[in-house]
mmCIF file of all heavy atoms in Angstrom:
data_model
loop_
_atom_site.group_PDB
_atom_site.id
_atom_site.type_symbol
_atom_site.label_atom_id
_atom_site.label_comp_id
_atom_site.label_asym_id
_atom_site.label_seq_id
_atom_site.Cartn_x
_atom_site.Cartn_y
_atom_site.Cartn_z
ATOM 1 N N GLY Y 1261 124.048 109.662 99.343
ATOM 2 C CA GLY Y 1261 125.252 109.582 98.642
ATOM 3 C C GLY Y 1261 125.447 108.325 97.638
ATOM 4 O O GLY Y 1261 126.457 108.096 97.233
ATOM 5 N N MET Y 1262 124.311 107.644 97.331
ATOM 6 C CA MET Y 1262 124.470 106.400 96.618
ATOM 7 C C MET Y 1262 124.831 106.826 95.218
ATOM 8 O O MET Y 1262 124.371 107.518 94.579
ATOM 9 C CB MET Y 1262 123.103 105.678 96.659
ATOM 10 C CG MET Y 1262 122.895 104.891 98.035
ATOM 11 S SD MET Y 1262 121.183 104.008 97.944
ATOM 12 C CE MET Y 1262 120.322 105.129 98.971
ATOM 13 N N ILE Y 1263 125.862 105.906 94.753
ATOM 14 C CA ILE Y 1263 126.418 106.124 93.319
ATOM 15 C C ILE Y 1263 125.701 105.275 92.366
ATOM 16 O O ILE Y 1263 125.346 104.154 92.581
ATOM 17 C CB ILE Y 1263 128.005 105.666 93.430
ATOM 18 C CG1 ILE Y 1263 128.658 106.416 94.525
ATOM 19 C CG2 ILE Y 1263 128.501 106.116 91.980
ATOM 20 C CD1 ILE Y 1263 128.705 107.789 94.444
ATOM 21 N N LEU Y 1264 125.417 105.997 91.249
ATOM 22 C CA LEU Y 1264 124.630 105.341 90.110
ATOM 23 C C LEU Y 1264 125.581 104.863 89.030
ATOM 24 O O LEU Y 1264 126.684 105.457 88.772
ATOM 25 C CB LEU Y 1264 123.682 106.342 89.436
ATOM 26 C CG LEU Y 1264 122.557 106.906 90.416
ATOM 27 C CD1 LEU Y 1264 121.719 107.995 89.570
ATOM 28 C CD2 LEU Y 1264 121.677 105.716 90.816
ATOM 29 N N PRO Y 1265 125.334 103.739 88.414
ATOM 30 C CA PRO Y 1265 126.128 103.238 87.259
ATOM 31 C C PRO Y 1265 125.878 104.040 85.977
ATOM 32 O O PRO Y 1265 124.823 104.260 85.514
ATOM 33 C CB PRO Y 1265 125.541 101.714 87.099
ATOM 34 C CG PRO Y 1265 124.168 101.834 87.531
ATOM 35 C CD PRO Y 1265 124.174 102.865 88.697
ATOM 36 N N SER Y 1266 126.956 104.704 85.656
ATOM 37 C CA SER Y 1266 126.818 105.632 84.516
ATOM 38 C C SER Y 1266 126.414 104.906 83.258
ATOM 39 O O SER Y 1266 125.652 105.446 82.391
ATOM 40 C CB SER Y 1266 128.141 106.341 84.234
ATOM 41 O OG SER Y 1266 129.215 105.441 83.985
ATOM 42 N N HIS Y 1267 126.738 103.662 83.094
ATOM 43 C CA HIS Y 1267 126.405 103.078 81.807
ATOM 44 C C HIS Y 1267 124.830 102.664 81.686
ATOM 45 O O HIS Y 1267 124.354 102.530 80.635
ATOM 46 C CB HIS Y 1267 127.298 101.756 81.612
ATOM 47 C CG HIS Y 1267 126.988 100.629 82.711
ATOM 48 N ND1 HIS Y 1267 127.599 100.748 83.946
ATOM 49 C CD2 HIS Y 1267 126.279 99.514 82.567
ATOM 50 C CE1 HIS Y 1267 127.216 99.738 84.623
ATOM 51 N NE2 HIS Y 1267 126.463 99.013 83.937
ATOM 52 N N GLN Y 1268 124.242 102.826 82.706
ATOM 53 C CA GLN Y 1268 122.761 102.504 82.801
ATOM 54 C C GLN Y 1268 122.012 103.893 82.684
ATOM 55 O O GLN Y 1268 120.942 103.826 82.181
ATOM 56 C CB GLN Y 1268 122.344 101.809 84.148
ATOM 57 C CG GLN Y 1268 122.355 100.348 84.073
ATOM 58 C CD GLN Y 1268 121.516 99.747 85.133
ATOM 59 O OE1 GLN Y 1268 121.599 100.144 86.337
ATOM 60 N NE2 GLN Y 1268 120.696 98.669 84.836
ATOM 61 N N PHE Y 1269 122.584 105.009 83.130
ATOM 62 C CA PHE Y 1269 121.789 106.140 83.263
ATOM 63 C C PHE Y 1269 122.150 107.360 82.287
ATOM 64 O O PHE Y 1269 121.572 108.288 82.115
ATOM 65 C CB PHE Y 1269 121.847 106.719 84.594
ATOM 66 C CG PHE Y 1269 120.953 105.858 85.561
ATOM 67 C CD1 PHE Y 1269 121.601 104.844 86.257
ATOM 68 C CD2 PHE Y 1269 119.561 106.219 85.803
ATOM 69 C CE1 PHE Y 1269 120.737 104.120 87.295
ATOM 70 C CE2 PHE Y 1269 118.898 105.478 86.679
ATOM 71 C CZ PHE Y 1269 119.454 104.456 87.411
ATOM 72 N N THR Y 1270 123.278 107.145 81.602
ATOM 73 C CA THR Y 1270 123.828 108.122 80.580
ATOM 74 C C THR Y 1270 122.814 108.687 79.691
ATOM 75 O O THR Y 1270 122.631 109.887 79.431
ATOM 76 C CB THR Y 1270 125.079 107.697 79.799
ATOM 77 O OG1 THR Y 1270 126.062 107.291 80.794
ATOM 78 C CG2 THR Y 1270 125.504 108.650 78.863
ATOM 79 N N ASP Y 1271 122.067 107.849 79.142
ATOM 80 C CA ASP Y 1271 121.003 108.204 78.166
ATOM 81 C C ASP Y 1271 119.740 108.780 78.738
ATOM 82 O O ASP Y 1271 118.818 109.214 78.106
ATOM 83 C CB ASP Y 1271 120.668 106.997 77.300
ATOM 84 C CG ASP Y 1271 121.687 106.468 76.387
ATOM 85 O OD1 ASP Y 1271 122.651 107.401 76.160
ATOM 86 O OD2 ASP Y 1271 121.740 105.289 75.984
ATOM 87 N N TYR Y 1272 119.674 108.787 80.096
ATOM 88 C CA TYR Y 1272 118.527 109.312 80.741
ATOM 89 C C TYR Y 1272 118.887 110.460 81.758
ATOM 90 O O TYR Y 1272 118.303 110.651 82.764
ATOM 91 C CB TYR Y 1272 117.909 108.183 81.524
ATOM 92 C CG TYR Y 1272 117.419 107.155 80.504
ATOM 93 C CD1 TYR Y 1272 118.151 106.069 80.220
ATOM 94 C CD2 TYR Y 1272 116.143 107.228 79.953
ATOM 95 C CE1 TYR Y 1272 117.699 105.162 79.431
ATOM 96 C CE2 TYR Y 1272 115.703 106.304 79.088
ATOM 97 C CZ TYR Y 1272 116.476 105.229 78.814
ATOM 98 O OH TYR Y 1272 116.093 104.250 77.977
ATOM 99 N N ASN Y 1273 120.011 111.234 81.341
ATOM 100 C CA ASN Y 1273 120.416 112.285 82.154
ATOM 101 C C ASN Y 1273 119.768 113.701 81.690
ATOM 102 O O ASN Y 1273 120.436 114.464 81.108
ATOM 103 C CB ASN Y 1273 121.933 112.422 82.036
ATOM 104 C CG ASN Y 1273 122.539 113.470 82.953
ATOM 105 O OD1 ASN Y 1273 121.835 113.906 83.933
ATOM 106 N ND2 ASN Y 1273 123.754 114.002 82.710
ATOM 107 N N GLY Y 1274 118.492 113.686 81.967
ATOM 108 C CA GLY Y 1274 117.754 114.872 81.441
ATOM 109 C C GLY Y 1274 116.316 114.842 81.656
ATOM 110 O O GLY Y 1274 115.910 114.106 82.784
ATOM 111 N N ALA Y 1275 115.499 115.387 80.943
ATOM 112 C CA ALA Y 1275 114.016 115.491 81.323
ATOM 113 C C ALA Y 1275 113.443 114.021 81.244
ATOM 114 O O ALA Y 1275 112.213 113.829 81.773
ATOM 115 C CB ALA Y 1275 113.305 116.450 80.314
ATOM 116 N N ASN Y 1276 114.094 112.976 80.542
ATOM 117 C CA ASN Y 1276 113.544 111.790 80.498
ATOM 118 C C ASN Y 1276 114.070 110.693 81.539
ATOM 119 O O ASN Y 1276 113.992 109.718 81.563
ATOM 120 C CB ASN Y 1276 114.071 111.162 79.101
ATOM 121 C CG ASN Y 1276 115.599 110.958 78.981
ATOM 122 O OD1 ASN Y 1276 116.205 111.637 79.780
ATOM 123 N ND2 ASN Y 1276 115.953 110.134 77.959
ATOM 124 N N ALA Y 1277 114.519 111.426 82.664
ATOM 125 C CA ALA Y 1277 115.164 110.585 83.759
ATOM 126 C C ALA Y 1277 114.204 109.591 84.184
ATOM 127 O O ALA Y 1277 114.615 108.440 84.637
ATOM 128 C CB ALA Y 1277 115.668 111.519 84.915
ATOM 129 N N ARG Y 1278 112.948 109.962 84.408
ATOM 130 C CA ARG Y 1278 112.013 108.943 85.053
ATOM 131 C C ARG Y 1278 111.652 107.821 84.086
ATOM 132 O O ARG Y 1278 110.952 106.992 84.493
ATOM 133 C CB ARG Y 1278 110.743 109.669 85.600
ATOM 134 C CG ARG Y 1278 111.163 110.582 86.893
ATOM 135 C CD ARG Y 1278 109.860 111.195 87.529
ATOM 136 N NE ARG Y 1278 110.167 111.884 88.709
ATOM 137 C CZ ARG Y 1278 110.188 111.338 89.924
ATOM 138 N NH1 ARG Y 1278 109.945 109.984 89.983
ATOM 139 N NH2 ARG Y 1278 110.631 111.818 90.918
ATOM 140 N N GLN Y 1279 112.070 107.917 82.816
ATOM 141 C CA GLN Y 1279 111.753 106.853 81.962
ATOM 142 C C GLN Y 1279 112.823 105.771 81.902
ATOM 143 O O GLN Y 1279 112.704 104.827 81.209
ATOM 144 C CB GLN Y 1279 111.490 107.458 80.457
ATOM 145 C CG GLN Y 1279 110.136 108.019 80.272
ATOM 146 C CD GLN Y 1279 109.899 109.321 81.072
ATOM 147 O OE1 GLN Y 1279 110.622 110.236 80.737
ATOM 148 N NE2 GLN Y 1279 108.876 109.305 81.824
ATOM 149 N N ALA Y 1280 113.911 106.043 82.621
ATOM 150 C CA ALA Y 1280 115.056 105.016 82.612
ATOM 151 C C ALA Y 1280 114.524 103.712 83.124
ATOM 152 O O ALA Y 1280 114.091 103.582 84.332
ATOM 153 C CB ALA Y 1280 116.132 105.630 83.411
ATOM 154 N N PRO Y 1281 114.847 102.539 82.426
ATOM 155 C CA PRO Y 1281 114.481 101.285 82.861
ATOM 156 C C PRO Y 1281 115.245 100.915 84.234
ATOM 157 O O PRO Y 1281 114.747 100.094 85.009
ATOM 158 C CB PRO Y 1281 114.964 100.298 81.642
ATOM 159 C CG PRO Y 1281 114.910 101.245 80.463
ATOM 160 C CD PRO Y 1281 115.294 102.608 81.053
ATOM 161 N N ALA Y 1282 116.424 101.536 84.261
ATOM 162 C CA ALA Y 1282 117.232 101.205 85.510
ATOM 163 C C ALA Y 1282 116.617 101.679 86.833
ATOM 164 O O ALA Y 1282 117.012 101.346 87.974
ATOM 165 C CB ALA Y 1282 118.706 101.909 85.300
ATOM 166 N N ASN Y 1283 115.644 102.615 86.754
ATOM 167 C CA ASN Y 1283 114.871 103.097 87.874
ATOM 168 C C ASN Y 1283 114.167 101.771 88.577
ATOM 169 O O ASN Y 1283 113.868 101.909 89.760
ATOM 170 C CB ASN Y 1283 113.877 104.201 87.579
ATOM 171 C CG ASN Y 1283 114.593 105.511 87.083
ATOM 172 O OD1 ASN Y 1283 115.598 105.770 87.422
ATOM 173 N ND2 ASN Y 1283 113.813 106.226 86.335
ATOM 174 N N GLN Y 1284 113.789 100.866 87.725
ATOM 175 C CA GLN Y 1284 113.130 99.779 88.280
ATOM 176 C C GLN Y 1284 114.141 98.606 88.550
ATOM 177 O O GLN Y 1284 113.730 97.669 89.257
ATOM 178 C CB GLN Y 1284 112.019 99.317 87.271
ATOM 179 C CG GLN Y 1284 111.150 100.525 86.900
ATOM 180 C CD GLN Y 1284 110.432 101.036 88.000
ATOM 181 O OE1 GLN Y 1284 110.116 100.406 88.970
ATOM 182 N NE2 GLN Y 1284 110.236 102.321 87.918
ATOM 183 N N SER Y 1285 115.294 98.558 87.921
ATOM 184 C CA SER Y 1285 116.197 97.436 87.916
ATOM 185 C C SER Y 1285 117.624 97.790 87.762
ATOM 186 O O SER Y 1285 118.290 97.643 86.881
ATOM 187 C CB SER Y 1285 115.885 96.301 86.778
ATOM 188 O OG SER Y 1285 116.008 96.971 85.560
ATOM 189 N N PRO Y 1286 118.142 98.623 88.762
ATOM 190 C CA PRO Y 1286 119.433 99.138 88.658
ATOM 191 C C PRO Y 1286 120.439 97.943 88.980
ATOM 192 O O PRO Y 1286 120.173 97.079 89.854
ATOM 193 C CB PRO Y 1286 119.409 100.098 89.911
ATOM 194 C CG PRO Y 1286 118.526 99.503 90.842
ATOM 195 C CD PRO Y 1286 117.484 99.047 90.006
ATOM 196 N N VAL Y 1287 121.590 98.121 88.365
ATOM 197 C CA VAL Y 1287 122.759 97.172 88.804
ATOM 198 C C VAL Y 1287 123.489 97.916 89.851
ATOM 199 O O VAL Y 1287 123.513 99.279 89.957
ATOM 200 C CB VAL Y 1287 123.657 96.897 87.547
ATOM 201 C CG1 VAL Y 1287 122.905 96.117 86.448
ATOM 202 C CG2 VAL Y 1287 124.282 98.202 86.995
ATOM 203 N N GLY Y 1288 124.055 97.336 90.830
ATOM 204 C CA GLY Y 1288 124.727 97.887 91.869
ATOM 205 C C GLY Y 1288 126.062 97.262 92.361
ATOM 206 O O GLY Y 1288 126.355 96.253 91.659
ATOM 207 N N THR Y 1289 126.714 97.950 93.202
ATOM 208 C CA THR Y 1289 127.923 97.286 93.752
ATOM 209 C C THR Y 1289 127.701 96.609 95.165
ATOM 210 O O THR Y 1289 128.631 96.067 95.672
ATOM 211 C CB THR Y 1289 129.000 98.418 93.933
ATOM 212 O OG1 THR Y 1289 128.514 99.433 94.716
ATOM 213 C CG2 THR Y 1289 129.506 98.931 92.610
ATOM 214 N N GLY Y 1290 126.407 96.633 95.642
ATOM 215 C CA GLY Y 1290 126.095 96.257 96.931
ATOM 216 C C GLY Y 1290 126.025 94.643 96.999
ATOM 217 O O GLY Y 1290 126.036 94.028 96.002
ATOM 218 N N PRO Y 1291 125.721 94.112 98.065
ATOM 219 C CA PRO Y 1291 125.777 92.731 98.310
ATOM 220 C C PRO Y 1291 124.664 91.855 97.628
ATOM 221 O O PRO Y 1291 125.092 90.747 97.243
ATOM 222 C CB PRO Y 1291 125.477 92.537 99.865
ATOM 223 C CG PRO Y 1291 124.901 93.782 100.223
ATOM 224 C CD PRO Y 1291 125.499 94.959 99.399
ATOM 225 N N TYR Y 1292 123.515 92.523 97.247
ATOM 226 C CA TYR Y 1292 122.612 91.673 96.562
ATOM 227 C C TYR Y 1292 122.101 92.492 95.395
ATOM 228 O O TYR Y 1292 122.078 93.696 95.440
ATOM 229 C CB TYR Y 1292 121.412 91.406 97.494
ATOM 230 C CG TYR Y 1292 121.754 90.564 98.774
ATOM 231 C CD1 TYR Y 1292 122.286 91.094 99.922
ATOM 232 C CD2 TYR Y 1292 121.756 89.195 98.599
ATOM 233 C CE1 TYR Y 1292 122.686 90.264 101.031
ATOM 234 C CE2 TYR Y 1292 122.018 88.408 99.584
ATOM 235 C CZ TYR Y 1292 122.557 88.981 100.827
ATOM 236 O OH TYR Y 1292 122.907 88.031 101.817
#
């Protein structure tokens, strides 16, 4: 159920999903 930041992934909502830089450095709402 983890929520993704739309502003990081909007441009990668397709066949290019695995090329998203945020796959390696997501911003989150969690503690760290």
